[in-house]
Amino acid sequence: MAEILAAIDRQPQPGATNPYAGAGDEVFHEHDTRVFFFDRLMRLLGWELGPGGNVAEEARIKADTTRFVDYVGINATTRAPALILEAKSWDKPNITGIGKWRHETKPTLVVAAVKHINTGGAKDKSPVTGEWHDNLSQLARYVRLFKEQHGHKVPCAVLSSGQWLLIFKTPVATFCESDVNDQQFHLIERDDYVAQAHVIFEQMARVMLADTAPTRIRSSQLANYVGAGSFRTAYHGLLINYEASGSPLFVQQPRILVYPAIFVQRNDNAILTVIDAEIPIVLQLSRTDDGEEKLAPHMNEVAAAAATLLASCSAELAISIQPSGLDEFPGFPESSAVAAGGLALGEPRKLLVQPVRTAPNNWLAVTGTLPHYLHEEPVLQCRFHAWSECRAVHCSIGANAVNSPSIDHPRAFFTDIKLHHCAHQTVADRRDDRCHIKAIDARTCCKACAYQVPCWSAAESAALPCGT
């Protein structure tokens, strides 16, 4: 903090021209304050700015009109806003009373102003200046909007010019409930930043507001992140690794490796991924004595490993965990909006399969009560596993059948006439924008997939060529 303030002091002094503002301007504007102070402060507190970071700058919030929040720190695991920071220009004065409130202490003014806002008081009747009434009203609107329209209870909201920090420790209680008191916020002035650095850290640091678990933890680590009291539910799932097998000098074939996972959801909606196995289970068809290929041995191996992992998680938390269905899973968070500098606060897309950002061709797939994203056999048999049958009704995909596993054009593990293969063009067209596993196998039969129910409504399923 001392270094940030020293860097600020090295910028234009009173009477000197600010090279970062308009010609002849001697004060920092809001933009300058953000560049020289707030960006540095956010990084110091562990927040990551820019593409791929966990801070949305000028985050769009849609209500009656579109509003823009200067900084919103995001909990990457839950999608929830964890920190609102409204930045004002460097020369904006600290809170000031008017009329009979002129000589009151600053904490008293904050309490009085917030109470006035919460009861719908008019701007010209506020105990503080009109600018401060507007600033606090704006912050109150953001907090209420996140809570009322999006269900997010923001744990920290900050208003600051850089020369003072007004940190609301419990913004939902402050702006959405009737009891307002001076224990709900910290008002810290620049001269006290260094001495109060521990308070700023405790209230605004990412690790305090939006710390997330690693991509993968072991069951023996589970109790470090969740207890019996904070456990909400759990789901079966997989870490899926897709490989191109064989030398690139020849035709390569897909090799799919799966690691059983348990996704544990806490009361705060954080989702923890538990994986014990470091040796994957290879997806493969096994040939029986009569020459028929079956998926059953692979499915049984995955189910046994998943049961062992579930038992380990139950033992670590000293509770009996019963996995919930896919309809209860909230969906993996999408981080693309945050990376682009926006904040998607509408109804989030329900992602059941999420790419692992740090490992290309790896996915986390939640499967609910089932241990696998595939069924041993399709729940409905039809003739359209064969390209020739599809061609007979003029609905075959492409000019030829997929006769060997393919890593591209299409990406297909299961080949023509296999029970898990689909060769029907109409099905391919309709599933194009809804299939959760298209990146793994674009030709998997929907009726052989664990996601058939969330992907298709009853009416849509009935309208497919294979029916219900």
Side-chain angles (χ1 to χ4, degrees):
M1 180 63 76
E3 291 173 359
I4 288 177
L5 295 177
I8 288 287
D9 290 338
R10 288 193 294 271
Q11 302 308 319
Q13 302 295 323
T17 299
N18 180 358
Y20 300 97
D25 204 336
E26 297 180 355
V27 297
F28 282 172
H29 288 284
E30 180 182 328
H31 171 74
D32 305 312
T33 308
R34 290 176 64 170
V35 170
F36 291 117
F37 181 73
F38 291 112
D39 286 1
R40 295 172 180 176
L41 177 64
M42 292 292 279
R43 292 189 182 96
L44 180 67
L45 293 170
W47 296 98
E48 299 173 22
L49 304 174
N54 48 26
V55 176
E57 299 180 63
E58 294 294 335
R60 295 179 295 276
I61 306 179
K62 290 187 177 180
D64 52 334
T65 60
T66 299
R67 299 185 176 94
F68 296 87
V69 188
D70 291 334
Y71 298 87
V72 179
I74 305 297
N75 184 315
T77 301
T78 66
R79 280 189 301 267
L83 170 69
I84 294 174
L85 171 57
E86 270 297 289
K88 303 303 175 183
S89 58
W90 190 254
D91 64 332
K92 293 298 181 184
N94 206 330
I95 192 165
T96 305
I98 58 176
K100 68 178 182 179
W101 297 91
R102 189 177 302 276
H103 301 295
E104 292 291 345
T105 65
K106 291 180 175 62
T108 300
L109 290 175
V110 173
V111 171
V114 171
K115 285 184 176 180
H116 184 76
I117 291 167
N118 288 351
T119 55
K123 179 177 178 178
D124 59 357
K125 302 294 184 182
S126 176
V128 297
T129 60
E131 185 174 40
W132 262 92
H133 175 85
D134 290 342
N135 292 341
L136 288 169
S137 296
Q138 181 185 48
L139 199 63
R141 282 195 299 270
Y142 293 156
V143 172
R144 293 167 185 164
L145 187 62
F146 282 125
K147 179 178 182 293
E148 294 167 5
Q149 293 197 11
H150 309 296
H152 297 312
K153 295 183 179 181
V154 183
C156 182
V158 180
L159 186 66
S160 176
S161 74
Q163 301 216 58
W164 45 264
L165 279 164
L166 178 55
I167 306 171
F168 289 97
K169 301 186 292 183
T170 55
V172 173
T174 300
F175 294 111
C176 302
E177 300 172 9
S178 58
D179 182 28
V180 183
N181 59 71
D182 61 8
Q183 300 302 304
Q184 297 174 346
F185 58 85
H186 293 286
L187 180 56
I188 306 174
E189 299 191 53
R190 174 188 163 143
D191 289 346
D192 296 321
Y193 282 177
V194 175
Q196 297 295 312
H198 63 288
V199 175
I200 298 171
F201 180 86
E202 289 166 0
Q203 299 302 322
M204 295 179 61
R206 182 197 61 79
V207 71
M208 307 301 290
L209 297 173
D211 198 16
T212 55
T215 301
R216 168 249 175 167
I217 61 174
R218 297 179 296 275
S219 60
S220 56
Q221 297 175 291
L222 185 57
N224 297 332
Y225 297 94
V226 62
S230 60
F231 172 86
R232 173 175 290 182
T233 190
Y235 310 86
H236 279 300
L238 297 168
L239 169 62
I240 303 170
N241 172 227
Y242 187 97
E243 298 178 351
S245 178
S247 170
L249 297 177
F250 305 102
V251 176
Q252 294 179 297
Q253 294 196 345
R255 186 169 183 260
I256 299 175
L257 311 174
V258 299
Y259 302 77
I262 296 293
F263 296 98
V264 175
Q265 185 180 359
R266 292 192 313 217
N267 286 337
D268 63 357
N269 290 326
I271 298 170
L272 311 172
T273 304
V274 185
I275 302 174
D276 278 355
E278 296 188 2
I279 299 177
I281 300 173
V282 181
L283 176 62
Q284 58 186 345
L285 292 164
S286 299
R287 192 173 297 277
T288 61
D289 293 338
D290 58 5
E292 190 175 3
E293 289 185 312
K294 293 285 188 181
L295 193 59
H298 168 78
M299 299 294 290
N300 292 339
E301 185 178 2
V302 173
T308 299
L309 179 59
L310 183 65
S312 296
C313 292
S314 296
E316 291 294 334
L317 297 182
I319 57 176
S320 178
I321 300 176
Q322 300 299 319
S324 296
L326 286 173
D327 58 329
E328 295 186 38
F329 184 67
F332 288 115
E334 281 189 291
S335 59
S336 57
V338 175
L343 183 63
L345 291 175
E347 183 66 24
R349 181 187 176 201
K350 192 168 183 178
L351 291 179
L352 301 177
V353 179
Q354 181 187 53
V356 178
R357 291 176 59 186
T358 56
N361 282 316
N362 279 259
W363 297 268
L364 292 173
V366 63
T367 52
T369 58
L370 301 174
H372 209 294
Y373 71 92
L374 296 172
H375 293 305
E376 184 177 324
E377 292 184 356
V379 296
L380 175 72
Q381 299 288 348
C382 81
R383 61 192 178 110
F384 298 128
H385 305 294
W387 181 85
S388 60
E389 293 287 350
C390 296
R391 186 184 184 189
V393 294
H394 309 290
C395 279
S396 56
I397 303 176
N400 299 287
V402 178
N403 292 314
S404 62
S406 170
I407 64 171
D408 201 11
H409 305 302
R411 181 168 276 193
F413 180 83
F414 298 104
T415 57
D416 190 51
I417 76 171
K418 297 291 190 297
L419 291 178
H420 291 75
H421 180 80
C422 177
H424 203 287
Q425 184 67 66
T426 299
V427 177
D429 290 341
R430 292 180 184 173
R431 66 180 271 184
D432 187 57
D433 63 349
R434 72 180 76 198
C435 180
H436 290 277
I437 63 167
K438 183 170 66 173
I440 302 167
D441 189 334
R443 295 291 183 86
T444 297
C445 169
C446 293
K447 303 298 183 179
C449 179
Y451 303 123
Q452 59 172 314
V453 173
C455 282
W456 305 95
S457 68
E460 291 170 331
S461 185
L464 292 174
C466 51
T468 57

